[in-house]
Amino acid sequence: MSKKSLDAVGPPGSLIVKSQSSSNNAFDLSTGSQTDLSGLPLNIPIPSHLKPTGTPGSKLLHIERSHASFDSKILALYLYGQDYLDRVNKLLQIIQVEEAFDKKRLNYQGRDDRFRHALRKEKRFVQLAKEHNWDPDDMSLAETLIDIPGPFGLHKSMFLKTLLEQGDEDQQRLFTHRAQRFEIIGCYAQTELGHGSNVQGLETTATYDKNTKEFIINSPSLTASKWWIGGLGRTADHAVVMAQLFTNGKSYGPHPFVVPIRDLQTREPLPGRVIGDIGPKLGYQTTDNGMILFENVRIPHNHLLARFSRVNPETGEYIKPQNAKLAYGTMTFIRAGIVKQAREVLARASIVAIRYCAIRRQFADKDAPVMDSKKPAENPVLDYQMVQYRIFPILAQAFACHYTGVEMFRLYDESQRNMSQGDFSLLADVHASSSGLKSICTIMAAQAIEECRRACGGHGFSQASGLGALYADYLPTVTWEGDSYMITQQTGRYLFKTMRTLYQDRNAKLSPANVTGEYILRYLDNPQAKSNVGFSGDFHDVQGFVFAFGHRAAYLIAQATRKRDIERRTWNSLLVDIYRCSVAHCQFLLVRNFAQAVLHDKNLKSKPALRHVIQLVFELFACYTMDVEASEFLASGYITPRQHVLLRNRVYALLALIRPEAVALCDSLAIPDYLLNSELGRYDGNVYEKLVEFASREPLNGVKFNVNPWDTELAIGEPKLAKL
Amino acid sequence: MSKKSLDAVGPPGSLIVKSQSSSNNAFDLSTGSQTDLSGLPLNIPIPSHLKPTGTPGSKLLHIERSHASFDSKILALYLYGQDYLDRVNKLLQIIQVEEAFDKKRLNYQGRDDRFRHALRKEKRFVQLAKEHNWDPDDMSLAETLIDIPGPFGLHKSMFLKTLLEQGDEDQQRLFTHRAQRFEIIGCYAQTELGHGSNVQGLETTATYDKNTKEFIINSPSLTASKWWIGGLGRTADHAVVMAQLFTNGKSYGPHPFVVPIRDLQTREPLPGRVIGDIGPKLGYQTTDNGMILFENVRIPHNHLLARFSRVNPETGEYIKPQNAKLAYGTMTFIRAGIVKQAREVLARASIVAIRYCAIRRQFADKDAPVMDSKKPAENPVLDYQMVQYRIFPILAQAFACHYTGVEMFRLYDESQRNMSQGDFSLLADVHASSSGLKSICTIMAAQAIEECRRACGGHGFSQASGLGALYADYLPTVTWEGDSYMITQQTGRYLFKTMRTLYQDRNAKLSPANVTGEYILRYLDNPQAKSNVGFSGDFHDVQGFVFAFGHRAAYLIAQATRKRDIERRTWNSLLVDIYRCSVAHCQFLLVRNFAQAVLHDKNLKSKPALRHVIQLVFELFACYTMDVEASEFLASGYITPRQHVLLRNRVYALLALIRPEAVALCDSLAIPDYLLNSELGRYDGNVYEKLVEFASREPLNGVKFNVNPWDTELAIGEPKLAKL
């Protein structure tokens, strides 16, 4: 598709390029023209003649957009492809007019109302999915856009997934099909009050009684209580319960059992189950994370999910599973998804901060010439170097996660293909990288949301920023699917092993796709390698960054492996070093995958304007990351103190180069206003008008209060309290 | 007081040493024996025979405490003094039995109920303060302990303070005395929708009309709306409004006016005022931050606060203020308070994480010998080096802020004394340091809360951790009283100036208390200075750290000043460098003030056990900070790559040395359970029992839900929705 035809189809201000096929139902993702569906009245009588002072936000953003050296629509198309953008458009038209999917009201609601709204959303989602015949990609994207974690969340993911993957044929009939039709609602009960990460340590038991052909599910202690289980608190009637299997007096470790927990009609817990919601959380208030205790609950033999391991119903004999390695594939897939999600979170955070800082004005430039009598105009906050330094690298991180997310899914596919042909050579490398990337990307994204929120100044603290709710709901990702500070041990073990193997034999055979071995070999060949940067402009050599990050990672791995193997240090005394090895390895991957695109992506090569701006973003990511981690580059001897000064100067120069491109780069990330859900980050820039509207909807504004300290009446016209 | 007499008065498990005088009404701060005052029923029927598995938390903490090499009570006494501890005890006895001061219920409440509870708290506070004749120190400490930011907050602080300081004698009668008796409730209206940091840019106008002898207060635009004003939304009937003064056609900048805004009886806004609450926020939900627009509101001449600047009522002539420098004193005082508050926040965060991680068990040690048949026992999470690395430095930061907070108040007193004698020599140094310290301490404390929350694993995400609410309510401190990323320019300007002065004249006269000049001179004498560390044990020399941090700060200041003065760079292009100078300067101060205590504090010298453990904490603070910032120590040439390796090893060694002292160090910080408000961090260690109780009080557990996607009934027994 040529540039011309692209320009022709988009209405002014349109973010997303529409394909010819969808141009009939043109729909603009980003003009923020959605109607308010919250149903909340406007409680403050704002005089309608008042406008924000100075140039309107919409015009300021328009000017910003006109400064860019590239077309954000073409960049969006390059990043996401036409199919994805079409799908977003198609779904948005359905989703954003649904009252059940309104997000604005959540800000004003307490826990109870939020949960009800989420349940309503879940029901409506099921109806619409059926009505519009959504395929799995539609469903997944619709969930992303609606962005309200609800009580059916675990039913639709882990519960169904576990049934499908681990249930035998009979169990598909017995459970899966009913679950797919929402006749039963399930949850996935693994974590316990006293046991999270360490699945082997779970306390819940499932003891086989061959006389009655039943398993007895029991919670032997208070800490054995299942805890944090999404959808269990008030919703689910079935649970996949991970419990220690005992049969014939022997223990066989944790296995998955399907346990009915609530009466399908009355919704009361079944006998022997004590169930409840675990109470208020920092976020995820729309979900009923729950607890359950079992008092010797009996379930039939066919409720142990039996595709892999089974118990002979007559003898109680345990039959072992075939191949455990396949499980790593699923983990890798989930973790690649987390990298992709980090891209989206980083994009949302930086878009809000960058657009708002382009509008917000504060102080005149200290060096601005003073015109007599007239005060110098205030600067957009985005002009301040310190603001740029805090938020532009986050924009760059979004792009870095984009390329590494794409690469992780490619590797997952390749590794699944290889494994189906019996070749497991790629598995360890991909598993190790995906663990470390899960760690670094979640920590980076969580920090980014808060950094961007602060960069919005005072208004960042209003829920109107959208960043508070995003942060609160994103935080669990740092902890679940492998705690991000602990999971790096999996990466570390692999890095140590690779170092040992290649140290002993430089010709040891590695999978051709193994990039870890590549940088370790390069280091072993020349551990004294040095950067050849002589001027700050030399921090422009794309391949040079790849070598630098590889050298630094290998240096840390070599040091740590030495401590373990030669100095015989305990594993525990190396945990921080191991964490650092994992971070260094994953930063290498992020830089390397980004560099590959800059150097070799054919779609980019033919578009000089895009290639130029993408390379700028790459350089900022690489230089900024290198500066943050500079002590290790310096300590390894790879860069000198003088080069460190050049590096910092290069970061400053890059910030200035990104400045005119910043808003257009945000646009290219194609986050529709409905997903952004931020008055500060709106595509149309009408920030201040919308902040006032946001205030007007506060229900508290409908109540008057009695402030006399000696009067026990709180709200005027309501009954007095007996005492304060 | 001898150790013996101290031991004699404390009951077992008591944290706070009681003096002889208060030993009659003995009260234990920390056993967590408070009754639940929330009034919420227990909704989950937990079987009473179930207990947590393994050693009870209470016993685990007892064992931890017995491992310490010092007496935490004596350390508490050394840190806080008897008077303060007595005061805490006295107030706690009154406060923690008051239902109006119950904090537990807030977790379960929506905005509306939280606000009502806070208003109730404010009223009860006024009553008790009168009843018990609380002095200002009592009031301030009581607010800290109750820790519920309420709608009278700004009335009691900025409103009254501004009236007192800036009102003339008549105005004390007219406003202050009525405000002190709570006959009028005020707020402080400075920030506007479009203007936060830049007070000079405020849009609200106050135009003097000499014909009627009135000021006309007006909001010329939407962005002129006062915004974020605490207590304005639903509560205040008066406001101190900062507005641009115009008289006789000329502008004189922002001045404070007292403006009546609500009818004292009906609580309706007075004519020409549009008032409202600004809506939901990330935290501070108990406060009604508000907005106000003025439509040519007329107020009498005597409503301009007139102690400093005045307008002649007849002629409209403006009369200038005398001395503006005194205002810096107040700012310094507030910022010193923020450093002290950071100590408390860091203490709370690290106490929760350390106590809970001493109880929580997860995984066996990888290097633990495998006993046949028996699984190795799981480790307390606190044994993992990675966990120690994340939370012990935060404990050390609490101690660092303690000493620097004390020093800032001492300097404030000294500088006020000097100024009253016409000596302003200390003012600039203290003002610059307090700005930079405000920045670094708030950023450090906010990050610490989140780090400690994550270190608690999954349960950190429950509001039962207490860290979510602490974080949400602490965050504004990073932004207000000078945005922590912008305010460092004040520090930078001073550091540049000092560098220039001393560069030109090494003998330039500085105040004897000026420690900045000291380290800059040392650097100028020997910019090539190098650390003499040869072994990791050399990172033990207290004065050595002071020199190292001074050298690094001076190196950065010299570089940045050079860019400004020789390379003629713009101020804006140096903002990141300036920020770094400020951070380096303030880290020097934190290290230096801590070091002074370790080296010279007489109270410490006579107590070898305390001195030993305090020095360990100091070394951890200094080494950890040095490692985090290592690139600048390396780049300045002060340490070599080899010394960098030694430094990291020293940090690891210190973590292991702190390990047995950690829980006792927490105890010594004397945060009572009532203030901690965390089930994870409870003094008694009964974590799991209390998490279950916390879940049981969730009101949602009293409702049953209909999960059928095709049924519009949400809660069973409640009316159906018309549509989903």
Side-chain angles (χ1 to χ4, degrees), chain A residues 381-390 652-653 655, chain B residues 571-577:
Chain A
V381 170
L382 199 60
D383 283 355
Y384 292 110
Q385 189 196 44
M386 189 66 201
V387 171
Q388 297 169 0
Y389 183 77
R390 291 159 67 200
Y652 302 150
L655 296 175
Chain B
W571 185 256
N572 186 33
S573 74
L574 295 176
L575 288 181
V576 178
D577 283 330

Short mmCIF file of all heavy atoms in Angstrom, two decimals, chain A residues 381-390 652-653 655, chain B residues 571-577:
data_model
loop_
_atom_site.label_atom_id
_atom_site.label_comp_id
_atom_site.label_asym_id
_atom_site.label_seq_id
_atom_site.Cartn_x
_atom_site.Cartn_y
_atom_site.Cartn_z
N VAL A 381 5.93 21.68 29.47
CA VAL A 381 6.79 20.93 30.39
C VAL A 381 7.68 19.94 29.62
O VAL A 381 8.78 19.61 30.06
CB VAL A 381 5.89 20.23 31.43
CG1 VAL A 381 6.66 19.24 32.25
CG2 VAL A 381 5.24 21.27 32.34
N LEU A 382 7.18 19.50 28.47
CA LEU A 382 7.93 18.53 27.67
C LEU A 382 9.26 19.09 27.16
O LEU A 382 10.14 18.35 26.75
CB LEU A 382 7.08 18.07 26.47
CG LEU A 382 7.50 16.77 25.79
CD1 LEU A 382 7.46 15.60 26.76
CD2 LEU A 382 6.61 16.46 24.59
N ASP A 383 9.40 20.43 27.20
CA ASP A 383 10.67 21.01 26.77
C ASP A 383 11.77 20.86 27.81
O ASP A 383 12.95 21.03 27.49
CB ASP A 383 10.50 22.51 26.47
CG ASP A 383 9.84 22.74 25.13
OD1 ASP A 383 9.61 21.75 24.40
OD2 ASP A 383 9.53 23.90 24.80
N TYR A 384 11.39 20.58 29.05
CA TYR A 384 12.42 20.48 30.09
C TYR A 384 13.19 19.17 29.97
O TYR A 384 12.61 18.09 29.92
CB TYR A 384 11.81 20.62 31.49
CG TYR A 384 11.27 22.01 31.72
CD1 TYR A 384 9.92 22.27 31.79
CD2 TYR A 384 12.16 23.09 31.82
CE1 TYR A 384 9.43 23.55 31.96
CE2 TYR A 384 11.68 24.38 31.98
CZ TYR A 384 10.32 24.62 32.06
OH TYR A 384 9.87 25.88 32.21
N GLN A 385 14.51 19.29 29.96
CA GLN A 385 15.35 18.12 29.78
C GLN A 385 15.07 17.06 30.83
O GLN A 385 15.05 15.86 30.55
CB GLN A 385 16.82 18.53 29.83
CG GLN A 385 17.77 17.42 29.43
CD GLN A 385 19.19 17.71 29.86
OE1 GLN A 385 19.46 18.15 30.97
NE2 GLN A 385 20.12 17.46 28.95
N MET A 386 14.85 17.50 32.06
CA MET A 386 14.64 16.54 33.15
C MET A 386 13.36 15.73 32.91
O MET A 386 13.30 14.55 33.24
CB MET A 386 14.55 17.30 34.48
CG MET A 386 14.54 16.43 35.71
SD MET A 386 16.09 15.53 35.95
CE MET A 386 15.51 14.20 37.01
N VAL A 387 12.33 16.38 32.35
CA VAL A 387 11.08 15.66 32.03
C VAL A 387 11.33 14.68 30.89
O VAL A 387 10.92 13.52 30.93
CB VAL A 387 9.96 16.66 31.68
CG1 VAL A 387 8.75 15.94 31.13
CG2 VAL A 387 9.58 17.49 32.90
N GLN A 388 12.05 15.13 29.88
CA GLN A 388 12.38 14.26 28.74
C GLN A 388 13.15 13.03 29.22
O GLN A 388 12.89 11.91 28.80
CB GLN A 388 13.23 15.02 27.72
CG GLN A 388 12.52 16.21 27.09
CD GLN A 388 13.46 17.10 26.29
OE1 GLN A 388 14.66 16.83 26.20
NE2 GLN A 388 12.91 18.16 25.72
N TYR A 389 14.10 13.29 30.12
CA TYR A 389 14.96 12.21 30.61
C TYR A 389 14.15 11.15 31.36
O TYR A 389 14.51 9.99 31.39
CB TYR A 389 16.02 12.81 31.53
CG TYR A 389 17.02 11.81 32.05
CD1 TYR A 389 18.05 11.35 31.23
CD2 TYR A 389 16.94 11.31 33.35
CE1 TYR A 389 18.97 10.44 31.70
CE2 TYR A 389 17.86 10.40 33.83
CZ TYR A 389 18.87 9.97 32.99
OH TYR A 389 19.79 9.05 33.45
N ARG A 390 13.04 11.59 31.97
CA ARG A 390 12.25 10.64 32.74
C ARG A 390 11.28 9.87 31.86
O ARG A 390 10.96 8.72 32.16
CB ARG A 390 11.47 11.39 33.84
CG ARG A 390 12.40 11.91 34.92
CD ARG A 390 11.74 13.05 35.68
NE ARG A 390 10.61 12.59 36.45
CZ ARG A 390 9.64 13.39 36.89
NH1 ARG A 390 9.66 14.68 36.59
NH2 ARG A 390 8.65 12.91 37.59
N TYR A 652 21.76 12.99 26.36
CA TYR A 652 21.14 14.32 26.34
C TYR A 652 20.84 14.75 24.90
O TYR A 652 19.79 15.32 24.61
CB TYR A 652 22.04 15.35 27.02
CG TYR A 652 22.41 15.03 28.45
CD1 TYR A 652 23.62 15.44 29.00
CD2 TYR A 652 21.54 14.29 29.27
CE1 TYR A 652 23.96 15.14 30.32
CE2 TYR A 652 21.89 13.99 30.59
CZ TYR A 652 23.10 14.41 31.10
OH TYR A 652 23.44 14.11 32.39
N ALA A 653 21.78 14.49 24.02
CA ALA A 653 21.59 14.88 22.61
C ALA A 653 20.40 14.12 22.01
O ALA A 653 19.59 14.69 21.26
CB ALA A 653 22.86 14.59 21.81
N LEU A 655 17.77 12.96 23.55
CA LEU A 655 16.51 13.48 24.09
C LEU A 655 16.04 14.66 23.23
O LEU A 655 14.87 14.76 22.88
CB LEU A 655 16.69 13.94 25.54
CG LEU A 655 17.03 12.85 26.57
CD1 LEU A 655 17.28 13.48 27.94
CD2 LEU A 655 15.91 11.80 26.66
N TRP B 571 20.80 26.47 30.64
CA TRP B 571 20.37 25.90 31.92
C TRP B 571 19.54 24.64 31.67
O TRP B 571 19.74 23.61 32.30
CB TRP B 571 19.55 26.94 32.69
CG TRP B 571 19.14 26.52 34.07
CD1 TRP B 571 17.90 26.10 34.46
CD2 TRP B 571 19.97 26.47 35.23
NE1 TRP B 571 17.91 25.81 35.80
CE2 TRP B 571 19.17 26.02 36.31
CE3 TRP B 571 21.32 26.77 35.49
CZ2 TRP B 571 19.66 25.86 37.60
CZ3 TRP B 571 21.81 26.61 36.78
CH2 TRP B 571 20.98 26.16 37.82
N ASN B 572 18.63 24.72 30.70
CA ASN B 572 17.75 23.59 30.42
C ASN B 572 18.54 22.34 30.01
O ASN B 572 18.20 21.23 30.40
CB ASN B 572 16.73 23.96 29.32
CG ASN B 572 15.70 22.86 29.11
OD1 ASN B 572 15.33 22.16 30.06
ND2 ASN B 572 15.26 22.69 27.87
N SER B 573 19.61 22.54 29.24
CA SER B 573 20.36 21.37 28.78
C SER B 573 21.17 20.75 29.91
O SER B 573 21.81 19.72 29.72
CB SER B 573 21.27 21.76 27.62
OG SER B 573 22.38 22.49 28.13
N LEU B 574 21.17 21.38 31.07
CA LEU B 574 21.95 20.87 32.21
C LEU B 574 21.05 20.31 33.32
O LEU B 574 21.55 19.94 34.38
CB LEU B 574 22.82 22.00 32.79
CG LEU B 574 23.91 22.52 31.87
CD1 LEU B 574 24.63 23.70 32.53
CD2 LEU B 574 24.90 21.41 31.55
N LEU B 575 19.76 20.27 33.07
CA LEU B 575 18.85 19.91 34.19
C LEU B 575 19.13 18.53 34.77
O LEU B 575 19.04 18.33 35.98
CB LEU B 575 17.38 20.02 33.75
CG LEU B 575 16.84 21.44 33.55
CD1 LEU B 575 15.38 21.41 33.15
CD2 LEU B 575 17.01 22.28 34.81
N VAL B 576 19.46 17.58 33.92
CA VAL B 576 19.76 16.24 34.43
C VAL B 576 21.07 16.26 35.22
O VAL B 576 21.16 15.67 36.31
CB VAL B 576 19.79 15.20 33.30
CG1 VAL B 576 20.16 13.82 33.86
CG2 VAL B 576 18.44 15.13 32.59
N ASP B 577 22.06 16.95 34.69
CA ASP B 577 23.32 17.08 35.44
C ASP B 577 23.09 17.75 36.79
O ASP B 577 23.68 17.36 37.80
CB ASP B 577 24.33 17.90 34.62
CG ASP B 577 24.95 17.07 33.49
OD1 ASP B 577 25.06 15.84 33.65
OD2 ASP B 577 25.30 17.66 32.46
#
